[in-house]
Amino acid sequence: MSAEQQDITQFVTMQAPFSMLEASACSYFVKHLDIAYLNRENQAQWLQSEHPKLFLIRSGLYDLVDSKGDIVTRLAQGDYFGFPSLLTGEAMQNRLEVQKEGIVYMLPQEPFDYLRREYKPFEQYFVRAHANRLLSSHYKSKTESWSERKISELMTRKAITLTPDSSIRHAAKQMQEYGVSSIMITQDAHLVGVVTDRDLRNRVLADEVDPQQSVSSIMTAKPKFIFENNRVFSALHLMLKHNIHHIPVLDENHKPLGMITSTDLLRQQKSDPVQLIGRIYKARAIADLKRYAKEIPELLRGFSYNIDDISLIGKLLSGLTDALTSRLIYLYQQEHGVAPSSFSFICFGSQAREEQTLHSDQDNGLLLPDGLNDDELAYFKGMGEYVCENLVECGIRRCPGNIMASSELCRMSISDWRERFFKWISSPTPQAMLNCKIFFDLRFIEGSHTLYSKFYEQLTHMSRNELFYAAMANDIDSNSVPIGLFNNFKTEKTEKNYKYIDLKKRGVVIINDIVRLYALRAGIRRANTQERLDALLKHTLLSKEDIYNLKDCWRFLTQLRLSTQINQEGLPSNCINPDQLNSLERHQLKEAFYLVKQAQQAAVFKFARGSL
């Protein structure tokens, strides 16, 4: 062996995955590699997309640049590049730009494939490296999808605020000076109201109000708001639901950051789903709602081809179900009069998590004040039955477990609901754990948010029980991912002997259960799995790496699950045949299940064995 080969071998042996492999793997790599000195003049010659190679950087500095010219990451000594094309057979999507010239080792496709076949840890290393970016197809890349953009990305100026005792004239001058159509009213740095140019017209000029009066006399108190990390779709949905055109944007500490208008958001909107939601909120009869609901399946198929993240279908479906529910409550009150007391119409399960699919059924309930008389209870019984029956007519199936507001057990006073949850928490039987999986994912839809918040505070206090957390962890451990001996898939079979894996039961549900457990322990009020994981970044219960792994796995499994439903592949609901996946997708699926299993075991160790 020459001195040069010895030097290369010594370097390669120190790099993963060769540091974990037999010496023969490193020797084969060194024997078959090419060596290039990359500079700006010759980079195009060596980085031809029609001849993919594995690149290992020995020296120099290089930027990995995507097709739009954006820098994905910076690569230096010991970093690899090019393996996605070798794994998938697809042309290279990114390119390398030399910032500081240097030496790069290059391994062609054939010897790369040989090392994959002969050394499983070699293959697993690069599949896992690719999976970190690809478990969800565009998870960490930028996207132009309007629905996936965060509200914070649309913010162009800081919050413009006034105190409640400021005059109306001063508010108008501020709006004119900054060229805005609304202004936030704050007290002690917290939002208390909003004033818009429409308020100045309708509440001041039209009513001849003295402009020297305080702005608090004309502001909209306790306005709707949205958080900076929410998505554009959520803001549009909120505007359509409440027929408003300005939404204050707050940070996680409820401090005002700025204002988003309907014009800002509609510039981003390029799809029909939001228009359908708008029509639903304006429907004047049940017949209209039924007609609009028939558009949903085809609309979703079209929508799925225009977004980068198909898992957003869950948010869209839940938004449509929310809209149908809210409008049915409105129509019921039009027919039977305004509700005789406050109430909160709430949802559970996948609708609460905003993760519905085409096959999701109803999970909803009514939260009522204590002490209602028989007539008042009869009114809400009628409301529950009216809403649930008409949701069925709109294509949203009845819950097999009867978890619907039409059921007496899901239409109760706040005290009765509290007692029911207390029994589950204090006596965590298997049935109680099953109930908790559904009912601890809850979200407000319509009615009194104050009543709902009061109940949720009580529920949060009750759930602070270490034995309850331990029981939930043990219940999570009772489910298993479908990976058997030798890292092979454990499949089930249909009556026609077709193989399948239930992605919901054996993957998505386990992640939901794990994340719910950590969220309850941390006191997080969100129901959506991805939002719970984002909120957990501020806690120490899970490492950032574990959180990002769970986010990636959830999105990947959800996208596989939804694409199966949308494309109607003839398999049972939520299922996929792993033989119909390409080689890389099968590796990604195994990697996802592997990471889920790790998270499952960690949750059991932390909660069931009392290590917290």
Side-chain angles (χ1 to χ4, degrees):
M1 183 182 293
S2 67
E4 181 184 19
Q5 285 182 314
Q6 287 181 341
D7 176 64
I8 296 172
T9 300
Q10 184 178 3
F11 172 76
V12 172
T13 302
M14 296 172 61
Q15 313 306 317
F18 297 102
S19 57
M20 303 175 287
L21 296 175
E22 301 95 308
S24 58
C26 181
S27 298
Y28 183 89
F29 179 87
V30 172
K31 182 178 179 181
H32 290 84
L33 60 78
D34 296 318
I35 305 174
Y37 186 82
L38 280 189
N39 55 41
R40 290 183 178 87
E41 286 70 37
N42 68 10
Q43 61 183 16
Q45 170 191 340
W46 290 107
L47 303 176
Q48 298 177 41
S49 60
E50 62 268 25
H51 299 296
K53 297 179 178 68
L54 176 69
F55 298 87
L56 172 59
I57 297 172
R58 176 64 188 265
S59 61
L61 201 62
Y62 313 87
D63 283 341
L64 186 61
V65 180
D66 65 18
S67 58
K68 299 175 185 177
D70 294 326
I71 297 175
V72 177
T73 188
R74 176 155 286 185
L75 303 173
Q77 185 183 82
D79 289 330
Y80 291 98
F81 167 71
F83 54 86
S85 295
L86 295 172
L87 292 169
T88 64
E90 298 174 355
M92 286 190 292
Q93 301 298 315
N94 301 326
R95 68 178 189 276
L96 213 60
E97 290 188 353
V98 176
Q99 299 303 318
K100 182 179 179 182
E101 54 194 41
I103 296 172
V104 176
Y105 300 142
M106 301 176 293
L107 188 73
Q109 178 86 59
E110 189 174 338
F112 179 83
D113 290 340
Y114 172 84
L115 288 169
R116 285 183 67 187
R117 289 194 305 271
E118 298 299 319
Y119 301 94
K120 286 300 176 185
F122 177 91
E123 179 179 58
Q124 290 171 356
Y125 175 84
F126 287 105
V127 168
R128 189 169 296 180
H130 189 39
N132 286 337
R133 293 188 306 211
L134 260 182
L135 273 173
S136 173
S137 58
H138 298 294
Y139 172 54
K140 291 181 180 177
S141 68
K142 295 183 178 180
T143 174
E144 293 181 353
S145 172
W146 68 270
S147 55
E148 200 173 2
R149 295 191 68 187
K150 290 184 178 181
I151 293 297
S152 58
E153 295 177 23
L154 306 186
M155 302 293 293
T156 57
R157 63 176 74 195
K158 294 183 179 179
I160 302 170
T161 65
L162 288 176
T163 57
D165 56 358
S166 300
S167 70
I168 296 171
R169 186 188 302 278
H170 184 50
K173 285 184 176 181
Q174 289 290 99
M175 290 166 65
Q176 180 186 46
E177 179 181 345
Y178 288 101
V180 296
S181 58
S182 60
I183 199 163
M184 287 186 278
I185 311 303
T186 60
Q187 194 162 32
D188 299 325
H190 283 80
L191 180 71
V192 295
V194 166
V195 171
T196 68
D197 52 3
R198 182 177 296 184
D199 294 329
L200 295 178
R201 292 194 305 270
N202 298 341
R203 299 179 182 179
V204 180
L205 293 176
D207 292 341
E208 298 183 349
V209 171
D210 183 357
Q212 291 304 121
Q213 285 190 26
S214 67
V215 75
S216 61
S217 63
I218 63 159
M219 73 180 186
T220 298
K222 297 181 179 178
K224 303 297 179 184
F225 60 84
I226 198 162
F227 291 107
E228 60 177 321
N229 290 322
N230 287 139
R231 305 291 177 173
V232 168
F233 173 78
S234 299
L236 276 166
H237 183 195
L238 191 65
M239 286 181 173
L240 289 166
K241 179 177 181 178
H242 297 286
N243 192 29
I244 53 180
H245 303 278
H246 301 78
I247 299 182
V249 181
L250 311 182
D251 66 14
E252 291 294 329
N253 296 316
H254 287 245
K255 298 296 176 61
L257 294 177
M259 188 82 75
I260 286 290
T261 69
S262 55
T263 303
D264 296 330
L265 298 182
L266 289 171
R267 286 196 196 104
Q268 311 299 318
Q269 192 264 109
K270 302 173 184 177
S271 252
D272 288 334
V274 173
Q275 297 177 20
L276 177 59
I277 290 177
R279 297 206 304 275
I280 289 172
Y281 277 123
K282 295 176 182 178
R284 296 184 176 276
I286 297 293
D288 295 331
L289 290 179
K290 292 179 183 178
R291 187 171 68 254
Y292 298 151
K294 288 180 180 178
E295 300 178 28
I296 292 174
E298 190 59 37
L299 182 69
L300 291 178
R301 290 186 181 90
F303 185 68
S304 69
Y305 298 126
N306 294 315
I307 58 173
D308 293 318
D309 180 7
I310 198 173
S311 66
L312 285 170
I313 293 288
K315 267 194 176 294
L316 175 58
L317 267 171
S318 301
L320 288 163
T321 306
D322 285 359
L324 289 168
T325 303
S326 293
R327 200 57 182 174
L328 286 168
I329 292 169
Y330 169 83
L331 292 175
Y332 178 79
Q333 294 188 89
Q334 289 292 103
E335 291 182 25
H336 299 86
V338 177
S341 74
S342 60
F343 69 93
S344 294
F345 205 101
I346 54 182
C347 61
F348 308 102
S350 61
Q351 185 181 351
R353 295 193 305 273
E354 299 177 280
E355 296 165 11
Q356 285 188 297
T357 71
L358 288 168
H359 302 297
S360 294
D361 51 50
Q362 295 184 48
D363 285 316
N364 52 50
L366 264 167
L367 178 64
L368 304 171
D370 293 329
L372 296 186
N373 60 39
D374 290 343
D375 289 340
E376 292 168 331
L377 291 173
Y379 176 94
F380 289 113
K381 178 177 184 291
M383 175 186 284
E385 292 172 347
Y386 180 93
V387 171
C388 294
E389 289 303 314
N390 281 296
L391 284 175
V392 172
E393 292 295 315
C394 290
I396 304 171
R397 298 183 297 117
R398 289 185 180 86
C399 173
N402 207 24
I403 302 173
M404 298 184 294
S406 54
S407 166
E408 190 174 355
L409 286 177
C410 293
R411 190 181 63 251
M412 299 190 296
S413 70
I414 192 169
S415 295
D416 290 338
W417 274 112
R418 185 173 61 241
E419 182 179 349
R420 194 177 183 196
F421 273 88
F422 180 75
K423 286 180 179 178
W424 295 334
I425 293 168
S426 57
S427 302
T429 63
Q431 182 59 46
M433 290 297 96
L434 179 60
N435 289 330
C436 287
K437 289 181 180 182
I438 300 170
F439 288 95
F440 266 102
D441 295 338
L442 70 160
R443 184 168 56 81
F444 171 81
I445 297 181
E446 192 63 74
S448 169
H449 203 284
T450 301
L451 184 67
Y452 171 77
S453 295
K454 178 182 177 182
F455 172 67
Y456 202 100
E457 289 295 333
Q458 295 173 352
L459 182 60
T460 301
H461 182 74
M462 277 192 293
S463 63
R464 292 171 185 159
N465 183 316
E466 298 300 332
L467 291 177
F468 172 59
Y469 300 143
M472 290 189 74
N474 282 320
D475 183 76
I476 292 169
D477 196 39
S478 66
N479 197 357
S480 60
V481 298
I483 296 292
L485 292 174
F486 309 112
N487 206 33
N488 292 323
F489 289 120
K490 293 170 65 176
T491 59
E492 301 175 69
K493 290 187 177 181
T494 66
E495 293 180 357
K496 295 183 178 181
N497 225 28
Y498 294 138
K499 294 193 298 185
Y500 70 88
I501 290 173
D502 190 327
L503 295 175
K504 176 184 177 183
K505 181 179 179 181
R506 299 300 183 187
V508 176
V509 164
I510 298 175
I511 297 174
N512 289 343
D513 292 346
I514 292 168
V515 175
R516 181 188 305 109
L517 173 57
Y518 282 102
L520 287 172
R521 181 64 175 79
I524 293 166
R525 293 186 60 163
R526 311 289 177 83
N528 178 268
T529 301
Q530 295 281 300
E531 291 178 5
R532 280 172 165 170
L533 285 166
D534 285 337
L536 282 166
L537 286 168
K538 297 183 178 180
H539 298 267
T540 58
L541 290 171
L542 275 170
S543 70
K544 288 186 177 180
E545 181 182 2
D546 289 339
I547 289 172
Y548 288 128
N549 282 340
L550 285 171
K551 284 171 71 73
D552 282 338
C553 291
W554 185 92
R555 288 172 67 117
F556 175 66
L557 293 172
T558 298
Q559 292 195 194
L560 274 182
R561 176 188 174 197
L562 286 170
S563 61
T564 299
Q565 292 181 357
I566 290 170
N567 296 323
Q568 296 178 329
E569 296 174 6
L571 293 171
S573 175
N574 303 307
C575 298
I576 194 165
N577 182 351
D579 291 343
Q580 294 178 352
L581 304 176
N582 62 41
S583 174
L584 179 61
E585 287 172 331
R586 286 195 295 273
H587 281 297
Q588 289 176 313
L589 186 56
K590 287 180 181 179
E591 177 66 14
F593 285 138
Y594 170 78
L595 293 172
V596 172
K597 186 175 182 179
Q598 279 192 321
Q600 197 176 14
Q601 293 170 340
V604 173
F605 181 80
K606 286 183 178 181
F607 293 93
R609 300 183 185 179
S611 66
L612 279 175

